Amino acid sequence: MASESIVVFAQFQSAVDEGFWHRFSSLKLNKLGIDDSPIPITGFYAPCSHPQVSNHLTLLAESLPSESNEQSSTAATSGGNRNRCPVPGILYNTNTIESFHALDKKSLLKAEAKKIWDDIHTGKAVEDSAVLSRFLLISFADLKKWTFHYWFAFPALVLDPPATLVDLRRASQYFSLEEAKSVSAACNEWRNSSLTADVPFFLVCVDPNSLATVKHIKDWETCQSDGNKLLFGFYDPCHLPNNPGWPLRNFLALISVRWNLKSVRFLCYRENRGFADLGLSLVGEALITVPQGWRDHQCLPNAVGWEQNKGRQVSRCISLAKSMDPTRLAISAADLNLKLMRWRALPSLNLNALSSMKCLLLGAGTLGCQVARMLMAWGVRKITLVDNGRVAMSNPLRQSLYTLDDCLNGGEYKATAAVKSLGRIFPAVDAEGVVMAIPMPGHPVPSQEEDNVLEDCRRLHDLVDSHDAVFLLTDTRESRWLPTLLCANTNKITITAALGFDSFLVMRHGAGPFSSNDERQRLGCYFCSDVVAPIDSTANRTLDQQCTVTRPGLAPIASALAVELLVGILHHPQGIFADGELANSSNSGSCEQPLGVLPHQIRGSLSQFSQMTLVGQSSNSCTACSSTVVSEYQERGMEFIIQAINHPTYLEDLTGLTELMKSASSFQLDWDNDDDDDDCIEI
Amino acid sequence: MSTKEESRGTLSSTDFGVAASAFILNWNTICSSFPQWTWVLSHHQVEGYLSLENILLSSTQEEHGELSFPGPGKHSHQEDPIDVDDATLVHINPCKVHYYDLHIIYCNSYRVPVLYFRAYDNDGEPLECDEIEKDLPAYSKKALSDSKWTFITQEEHPYLNRPWYKLHPCGTSEWMKLLFHADDDALAKTGVAIELYLVAWLSVVGLVVGLRIPFEMMKQL
């Protein structure tokens, strides 16, 4: 007949909630391991509730069996409600992507179709009709990349020849007004009763008086009376006006096999806002030609049902790295913390500058460990630590990156142990350790060592060059000389921290001597202080004595101040060229930065619980940062360094410091007039 | 609710439970055609939270096409042709659909309710913050960018242990204080304050995520 066409069913659509993959990953990691036997799962669906969007068969966290050790070999159908009709399914998860693609989809589909076929013939499908919508899921969970490849199949027994469609229209157009009212009421009752709300297949009987009742399909016999209209109803997830949903396929198969009906009137039940919607619901009539052999249980019909993905025959893939990868979660939590600071307290915080800054830490001891941690807390990700020592038994107490394990077997190299430790605290840190000693002036090296020392010097030069800020965190005065010179040469931000027994110094070095064209006075470095403020040296001399006997509270305080000082420099419009400010002063000229004042030097005393800020200008006689010294380095390079290392007084002679010290008693302390009046004595 | 709490804009966890029950009743009665809020008990069965899930949003955004296929080499595998019969219709939803879940959870440390939410597409793939912001109506985007009290952060859901977006609660008590003190006498006398806390709270918070409170509910404030 020309007007007849086959029934075209709209395929089921799947939706997997993130929670399902989370729970599955956990199950795999904690319980299943490499076991890839099939897992019974439960899917959930509900009748369509939106005129433009079909409902899906959904998997949630609850779809999986729990992680406890109960054996659940049967389909664990967890409790449903009116919005979640449970449907049994099975999950085949493979351990590699290759085996995922190699799964025999044809036979897997056939196996599940057989279960439905068996349930129809044994009558189980009449008792528990949800089994008609049994589904299959294959997957490969990549728990390293947190991506999940998957593919659903909704097995449907194929009628051959296919069912033909005699009629299909809106339910509101099929029923009379009276009937429609009664049908809606009966359906709503079915949907509201906790006993039947999640039963997706049912019968609708309408008697000649337009009274409708909804019954369980096992009560089919009781609906057999003339004058009654009998419709086979089912929860239809599909919203389309011209196509019934997928569950009807196996429903027709059931009806044909069990009740041998050739003509089936069906109701595609759909809702709107929780109530039966007969305008959206469809009523149709299908004609079935029972295929040869269908009465025979042994003869399994063909099945179709692999879900198409946007019209293509491919599996789907979802990436949940953002919400599952612990490293990513740690990163976003850290970023959140800093963003909160910016939102709530400091809108001018430059988080990009912090995260892109490369910091070089010379020394991985009490100061180095704390500075590294503080830098990470501020969002600095690139940290290089230089230290040639090994972790000693006493270290873990005061050097916050080390534990007892690092001390065993002679002790790990500090630089290496520190990097590992930083990675354990924050996996996204880009930390590097360099095991190297810093060459020191006035400590002559035997000639056979000279090449190594030169190598170290060059290495240090390169390290300073490739970083943005350098922290001098060693425990001797001499070890700070070469780094200071190198930093002055390249005009790098340099922060020095030095500890005494109960006092500390934290300061930022001024700009290098050739860093700008204007003549203004630059701030001093660590060595300038020796010259410019000799009377301050009582506090000074007890620093850097290479003694490990310092009050434990000092290092954390000094380290914290050192890092805060760096952050201050970063946010100051003049950066390394910023003038030194004093605390508690009314700096009429300078406008206060959001982070507060930016001092040059901070000297603190634990015995007084006090702290003071100082400003010191650079000295032209400085053995580390004066133009004399830096230009010697620029001209003669390593030769100059070796000379400084090997000859105890070379530097002092070069800068005229020796002369200066001789006339120290008659030296006028005049800040503004600090020209190089002295003769340079050439050697 | 103690006047002390009230004056600070906060409420106790018991009061939250009371407010939540009243809110559900209120909402489900007045807005029966809207999706309904439910009370979900945590697995400890002691604490609970309000939940409104599967809110469907037809997005005007373009189909992202290959969103479901991250990573290289995705096309290199040739799938065997799978049987499809003539009786199968494959339909693709014409409009891109986003689903939203909203939870209102009590925060012990700030002593205020907090709105947690997440969004995902058809396949269950979670949406990013910027994609969510595209879904928001204009007034919400404005509220987010202008107000210093509202910003979205991503943190672990206290019960589901997965990252959800939330409106950070640090400013909540500040503006709840203002709301409540706007009409001191009325509230102090009627003692209906607790029941209305959530309506008041949601009337502000909802703005930010594009959830409008029906006028009938607002009238009570």
Side-chain angles (χ1 to χ4, degrees):
Chain A
M1 281 151 71
S3 59
E4 270 178 21
S5 49
I6 60 170
V7 185
V8 180
F9 304 89
Q11 197 172 43
F12 234 135
Q13 292 179 306
S14 66
V16 184
D17 185 87
E18 210 189 323
F20 176 82
W21 296 121
H22 278 258
R23 172 81 79 93
F24 182 64
S25 304
S26 167
L27 198 62
K28 194 106 177 84
L29 289 170
N30 301 333
K31 190 174 166 205
L32 298 173
I34 56 166
D35 180 8
D36 59 2
S37 25
I39 303 165
I41 55 177
T42 311
F44 301 99
Y45 86 103
C48 170
S49 50
H50 195 286
Q52 276 135 24
V53 181
S54 290
N55 246 334
H56 297 77
L57 184 100
T58 311
L59 293 187
L60 311 165
E62 298 82 78
S63 298
L64 285 159
S66 73
E67 264 178 65
S68 61
N69 288 325
E70 298 146 23
Q71 289 300 314
S72 50
S73 51
T74 55
T77 320
S78 43
N81 54 46
R82 59 168 297 143
N83 292 322
R84 285 165 40 158
C85 303
V87 169
I90 194 153
L91 166 63
Y92 285 87
N93 183 69
T94 59
N95 289 325
T96 62
I97 188 79
E98 292 80 19
S99 41
F100 173 70
H101 288 304
L103 284 171
D104 185 347
K105 294 177 200 40
K106 243 189 157 76
S107 59
L108 285 176
L109 183 71
K110 197 166 173 186
E112 295 311 301
K114 181 164 194 310
K115 290 181 192 169
I116 298 175
W117 184 242
D118 289 342
D119 287 340
I120 288 177
H121 276 271
T122 58
K124 181 164 178 224
V126 175
E127 282 296 322
D128 178 17
S129 53
V131 303
L132 286 172
S133 298
R134 181 185 294 279
F135 66 96
L136 161 66
L137 174 63
I138 60 171
S139 73
F140 164 58
D142 185 341
L143 297 184
K144 290 200 179 60
K145 295 192 214 147
W146 307 104
T147 55
F148 301 86
H149 301 257
Y150 65 99
W151 204 342
F152 274 84
F154 302 102
L157 300 163
V158 176
L159 283 166
D160 185 16
T164 49
L165 190 63
V166 173
D167 181 38
L168 186 67
R169 63 178 81 176
R170 295 186 189 282
S172 50
Q173 289 168 342
Y174 171 80
F175 293 115
S176 70
L177 226 55
E178 281 279 323
E179 287 172 333
K181 253 175 85 172
S182 186
V183 167
S184 294
C187 289
N188 288 331
E189 208 188 301
W190 179 266
R191 290 283 287 150
N192 285 331
S193 158
S194 56
L195 292 169
T196 54
D198 60 357
V199 176
F201 297 92
F202 51 93
L203 298 169
V204 181
C205 298
V206 187
D207 74 9
N209 295 326
S210 304
L211 183 67
T213 40
V214 172
K215 294 189 182 182
H216 203 283
I217 56 176
K218 65 180 180 218
D219 297 332
W220 183 74
E221 267 83 36
T222 66
C223 297
Q224 300 309 301
S225 59
D226 294 333
N228 278 1
K229 283 189 192 165
L230 177 62
L231 296 102
F232 290 89
F234 70 99
Y235 293 170
D236 187 0
C238 174
H239 72 281
L240 295 170
N242 295 320
N243 302 85
W246 203 249
L248 184 58
R249 292 197 79 148
N250 290 335
F251 199 19
L252 287 179
L254 170 82
I255 294 166
S256 167
V257 168
R258 292 214 68 82
W259 300 311
N260 204 12
L261 295 179
K262 309 276 188 307
S263 160
V264 176
R265 195 165 287 281
F266 56 86
L267 166 68
C268 304
Y269 177 77
R270 301 158 180 191
E271 292 181 331
N272 192 7
R273 300 247 159 96
F275 295 104
D277 186 336
L278 294 187
L280 193 57
S281 303
L282 302 175
V283 170
E285 189 183 345
L287 289 179
I288 306 173
T289 321
V290 182
Q292 277 282 17
W294 260 49
R295 317 254 76 221
D296 179 9
H297 184 162
Q298 302 310 314
C299 182
L300 174 66
N302 283 335
V304 293
W306 284 101
E307 189 179 17
Q308 297 222 340
N309 186 2
K310 295 186 179 60
R312 292 161 57 193
Q313 294 288 352
V314 280
S315 58
R316 299 182 186 214
C317 182
I318 181 174
S319 167
L320 291 177
K322 287 226 171 62
S323 62
M324 293 179 79
D325 183 359
T327 303
R328 293 232 208 175
L329 293 173
I331 293 172
S332 58
D335 286 344
L336 170 65
N337 212 314
L338 292 165
K339 277 185 203 157
L340 275 172
M341 207 172 4
R342 190 175 67 190
W343 283 325
R344 299 294 292 160
L346 204 62
S348 54
L349 189 60
N350 189 347
L351 295 176
N352 286 334
L354 283 163
S355 61
S356 57
M357 161 146 285
K358 293 178 275 203
C359 289
L360 177 66
L361 277 59
L362 302 177
T366 52
L367 291 167
C369 289
Q370 278 304 111
V371 167
R373 275 176 169 273
M374 291 292 116
L375 285 172
M376 285 208 306
W378 268 106
V380 175
R381 299 277 162 85
K382 174 88 192 89
I383 298 173
T384 307
L385 290 130
V386 176
D387 198 300
N388 73 327
R390 290 183 184 272
V391 185
M393 285 287 181
S394 61
N395 292 160
L397 283 166
R398 292 165 178 254
Q399 301 181 15
S400 57
L401 291 177
Y402 309 127
T403 58
L404 182 65
D405 285 343
D406 301 316
C407 309
L408 304 175
N409 300 321
E412 272 240 53
Y413 277 118
K414 283 189 177 180
T416 330
V419 162
K420 275 193 225 160
S421 183
L422 290 175
R424 274 195 297 269
I425 296 168
F426 188 65
V429 73
D430 179 9
E432 202 191 316
V434 179
V435 182
M436 189 182 87
I438 298 176
M440 299 192 273
H443 291 231
V445 289
S447 47
Q448 64 263 35
E449 300 280 323
E450 211 172 88
D451 282 339
N452 284 338
V453 174
L454 276 171
E455 179 57 42
D456 286 345
C457 292
R458 279 187 210 108
R459 215 160 154 206
L460 191 60
H461 172 103
D462 292 339
L463 280 168
V464 169
D465 229 14
S466 58
H467 287 76
D468 304 309
V470 182
F471 284 86
L472 307 189
L473 308 171
T474 53
D475 55 2
T476 61
R477 185 173 171 279
E478 297 83 64
S479 60
R480 301 171 190 273
W481 174 77
L482 182 56
T484 303
L485 167 59
L486 294 171
C487 290
N489 183 43
T490 49
N491 198 37
K492 295 280 174 177
I493 297 172
T494 317
I495 312 260
T496 287
L499 304 177
F501 167 62
D502 61 4
S503 63
F504 66 82
L505 162 68
V506 171
M507 65 179 290
R508 58 184 171 99
H509 293 190
F514 304 116
S515 57
S516 73
N517 291 326
D518 58 48
E519 290 301 314
R520 61 181 180 168
Q521 190 60 269
R522 49 191 189 91
L523 291 172
C525 75
Y526 180 66
F527 294 88
C528 294
S529 310
D530 283 354
V531 181
V532 174
I535 43 178
D536 236 357
S537 61
T538 356
N540 223 1
R541 280 207 192 100
T542 58
L543 297 176
D544 270 348
Q545 292 307 300
Q546 201 173 24
C547 76
T548 50
V549 184
T550 64
R551 288 179 67 164
L554 266 185
I557 297 173
S559 313
L561 288 172
V563 173
E564 297 294 325
L565 197 57
L566 173 69
V567 178
I569 298 171
L570 261 189
H571 286 80
H572 196 285
Q574 278 123 49
I576 194 176
F577 298 101
D579 287 333
E581 292 168 329
L582 296 170
N584 300 323
S585 70
S586 46
N587 279 338
S588 50
S590 70
C591 49
E592 230 188 67
Q593 299 298 314
L595 277 168
V597 299
L598 187 61
H600 173 230
Q601 302 177 32
I602 307 158
R603 288 176 189 259
S605 157
L606 262 183
S607 60
Q608 301 291 319
F609 284 95
S610 71
Q611 198 171 284
M612 60 177 173
T613 54
L614 297 152
V615 178
Q617 304 300 326
S618 60
S619 161
N620 285 326
S621 314
C622 178
T623 51
C625 78
S626 63
S627 49
T628 323
V629 172
V630 176
S631 49
E632 275 301 301
Y633 174 63
Q634 283 176 354
E635 279 170 35
R636 294 167 48 213
M638 291 302 147
E639 200 201 309
F640 163 69
I641 302 289
I642 292 296
Q643 205 168 358
I645 288 173
N646 286 332
H647 299 270
T649 59
Y650 172 56
L651 286 168
E652 276 87 345
D653 296 342
L654 173 67
T655 56
L657 214 56
T658 324
E659 276 298 309
L660 204 65
M661 287 311 187
K662 281 183 195 160
S663 53
S665 52
S666 56
F667 187 68
Q668 297 273 65
L669 251 181
D670 192 347
W671 293 95
D672 295 319
N673 213 12
D674 203 23
D675 298 321
D676 188 11
D677 287 318
D678 306 283
D679 295 285
C680 276
I681 300 175
E682 301 250 46
I683 298 178
Chain B
M1 180 157 70
S2 72
T3 30
K4 211 171 156 200
E5 289 258 38
E6 207 180 294
S7 64
R8 286 203 295 257
T10 57
L11 81 173
S12 71
S13 87
T14 348
D15 283 340
F16 174 73
V18 174
S21 313
F23 178 75
I24 290 178
L25 205 59
N26 222 338
W27 175 280
N28 293 349
T29 318
I30 293 179
C31 324
S32 54
S33 58
F34 280 62
Q36 308 282 280
W37 286 90
T38 53
W39 178 257
V40 179
L41 280 174
S42 74
H43 40 250
H44 301 294
Q45 304 294 305
V46 174
E47 294 154 349
Y49 55 92
L50 285 166
S51 160
L52 186 64
E53 291 186 354
N54 286 19
I55 304 167
L56 202 151
L57 211 71
S58 293
S59 171
T60 49
Q61 294 175 55
E62 309 286 298
E63 269 276 338
H64 281 261
E66 301 303 281
L67 237 189
S68 308
F69 297 90
K74 53 194 193 265
H75 293 299
S76 58
H77 184 87
Q78 283 301 318
E79 293 286 347
D80 303 327
I82 308 287
D83 293 336
V84 175
D85 71 348
D86 292 335
T88 306
L89 172 79
V90 179
H91 60 127
I92 302 168
N93 274 323
C95 48
K96 191 154 165 61
V97 180
H98 292 164
Y99 293 91
Y100 280 79
D101 292 342
L102 302 179
H103 289 177
I104 302 179
I105 307 180
Y106 181 74
C107 174
N108 273 309
S109 45
Y110 285 98
R111 297 181 76 76
V112 290
V114 182
L115 181 73
Y116 283 79
F117 61 96
R118 71 170 180 144
Y120 44 99
D121 66 13
N122 262 332
D123 289 329
E125 181 139 14
L127 296 181
E128 301 270 326
C129 204
D130 51 347
E131 291 170 287
I132 295 177
E133 283 189 21
K134 284 192 207 141
D135 277 341
L136 294 177
Y139 59 80
S140 297
K141 285 190 254 216
K142 196 165 191 312
L144 267 177
S145 57
D146 289 354
S147 170
K148 66 162 183 164
W149 280 327
T150 56
F151 42 87
I152 299 177
T153 66
Q154 187 179 48
E155 288 183 37
E156 200 165 278
H157 189 291
Y159 301 117
L160 298 179
N161 297 118
R162 289 195 285 286
W164 276 52
Y165 290 105
K166 77 179 204 193
L167 278 183
H168 203 275
C170 54
T172 303
S173 59
E174 295 299 310
W175 48 261
M176 280 307 288
K177 245 189 322 197
L178 294 176
L179 272 183
F180 266 44
H181 277 158
D183 201 2
D184 266 335
D185 299 328
L187 288 176
K189 296 300 174 281
T190 58
V192 198
I194 308 174
E195 276 82 25
L196 294 177
Y197 188 96
L198 275 175
V199 184
W201 175 84
L202 196 57
S203 69
V204 178
V205 164
L207 268 181
V208 181
V209 291
L211 181 71
R212 293 196 118 122
I213 311 287
F215 183 64
E216 293 80 35
M217 286 192 87
M218 301 272 267
K219 273 200 295 203
Q220 300 165 60
L221 286 174

